Amino acid sequence: MPRKWLLAALLTYLHLKSRTETAMSSFRSIDVEKWERKEQLHFFSNYDTPFFGFTTELDDSILKYTRSKRYSFFAVGLFASQRQVNLIPQFRYRIKGAELVEYLEISAGSTVLKTNQMFTFCHFDYFQVFHGQVKDRVALCSTASARLDDPAQVHYSVIPWIHSSALSHLYNYRTDDSISKIVFGEYSETDDRTRMPVSVEAHHSSMDGSHLGVYFEGLQHSINYPETLLEG
């Protein structure tokens, strides 16, 4: 391999390593004794299953726009969701042992289907402007590290074969898992309308139904105005 290629590979590795270390350390500790959800934290942390969630259908009118622009529907959906997630502080809270922290920025970890119909995990850094990065990142998922141990992310899944009204997740109760989970289901097109189920599960210590309502409302508003979301 030419030396210039080795140098480029080394610089890329150091850049990604630096971003990873920064992403995993950019948080602030929250004084639980002064936190407005102190009682909820102590109450729900003792539950075997402290997660709760809702599944609702969104009017996914953005589909026509993505087709006209030849954008990846997955990339657009992930971008819209991540923008909304990062606007809501409760989605950025994490429980780390006896400590509560708030991350400055939340990335995404998503399942991605491979050509052999098996899935892999892929990490997507948070970005505030839509571009081809998500699509390019999907192409590298076969060799990319998923960073599953990074709490500064939301876990995503896409299930394009099932138009679901509810679902449940697997949990490892031996860990301090407080990562929110978002799933996009199969969209359906009827009467010139596109509807897609979106499911969200979150740790009840850090948020309530009202916060999920803010997420769903904000996500619906974003996809109602695709030009503003993607080109603005």
Side-chain angles (χ1 to χ4, degrees):
M1 180 181 292
R3 291 187 62 184
K4 64 179 182 179
W5 289 8
L6 289 173
L7 179 59
L10 177 60
L11 291 175
T12 300
Y13 166 76
L14 293 174
H15 172 70
L16 292 175
K17 183 173 184 293
S18 175
R19 290 203 61 171
T20 299
E21 292 173 347
T22 300
M24 296 185 69
S25 61
S26 299
F27 62 84
R28 69 178 183 93
S29 296
I30 296 176
D31 187 346
V32 173
E33 294 303 313
K34 297 179 180 179
W35 192 40
E36 66 273 13
R37 294 185 61 84
K38 171 185 173 182
E39 294 182 6
Q40 286 82 357
L41 174 64
H42 293 318
F43 181 76
F44 289 112
S45 292
N46 291 322
Y47 274 63
D48 292 331
T49 309
F51 284 83
F52 77 106
F54 296 98
T55 300
T56 188
E57 283 191 340
L58 296 183
D59 189 346
D60 213 348
S61 54
I62 201 172
L63 178 61
K64 292 181 179 180
Y65 186 82
T66 60
R67 285 173 174 171
S68 69
K69 293 289 187 176
R70 296 187 177 181
Y71 291 152
S72 162
F73 187 52
F74 167 74
V76 170
L78 187 66
F79 175 74
S81 179
Q82 279 298 97
R83 281 195 61 178
Q84 193 60 33
V85 160
N86 277 276
L87 288 174
I88 304 172
Q90 288 75 15
F91 272 97
R92 294 185 271 108
Y93 292 153
R94 294 293 181 268
I95 299 171
K96 301 178 67 175
E99 186 181 13
L100 178 70
V101 302
E102 178 186 1
Y103 283 91
L104 303 181
E105 187 175 281
I106 291 292
S107 59
S110 179
T111 56
V112 174
L113 193 66
K114 299 192 292 184
T115 55
N116 62 358
Q117 298 302 303
M118 299 298 291
F119 72 86
T120 186
F121 296 98
C122 191
H123 178 86
F124 299 94
D125 291 321
Y126 173 61
F127 51 94
Q128 298 183 17
V129 178
F130 182 76
H131 47 69
Q133 181 178 355
V134 169
K135 185 177 180 180
D136 295 340
R137 186 66 178 171
V138 170
L140 298 174
C141 277
S142 59
T143 58
S145 171
R147 286 164 53 176
L148 294 177
D149 60 338
D150 183 2
Q153 61 181 320
V154 167
H155 288 163
Y156 284 86
S157 290
V158 180
I159 309 178
W161 314 276
I162 303 174
H163 193 90
S164 61
S165 58
L167 60 84
S168 60
H169 290 273
L170 299 175
Y171 291 97
N172 186 351
Y173 298 118
R174 292 169 296 178
T175 64
D176 294 324
D177 182 12
S178 56
I179 297 175
S180 298
K181 296 159 179 59
I182 299 176
V183 178
F184 301 131
E186 178 188 36
Y187 65 78
S188 61
E189 297 179 89
T190 57
D191 300 327
D192 203 34
R193 296 184 64 189
T194 304
R195 307 285 291 176
M196 184 178 73
V198 179
S199 173
V200 182
E201 284 197 3
H203 202 290
H204 221 334
S205 294
S206 59
M207 68 176 83
D208 300 317
S210 61
H211 303 108
L212 297 194
V214 171
Y215 166 82
F216 284 123
E217 182 179 4
L219 181 58
Q220 181 65 76
H221 183 270
S222 292
I223 62 182
N224 284 346
Y225 300 96
E227 295 92 345
T228 303
L229 172 68
L230 304 175
E231 320 295 345

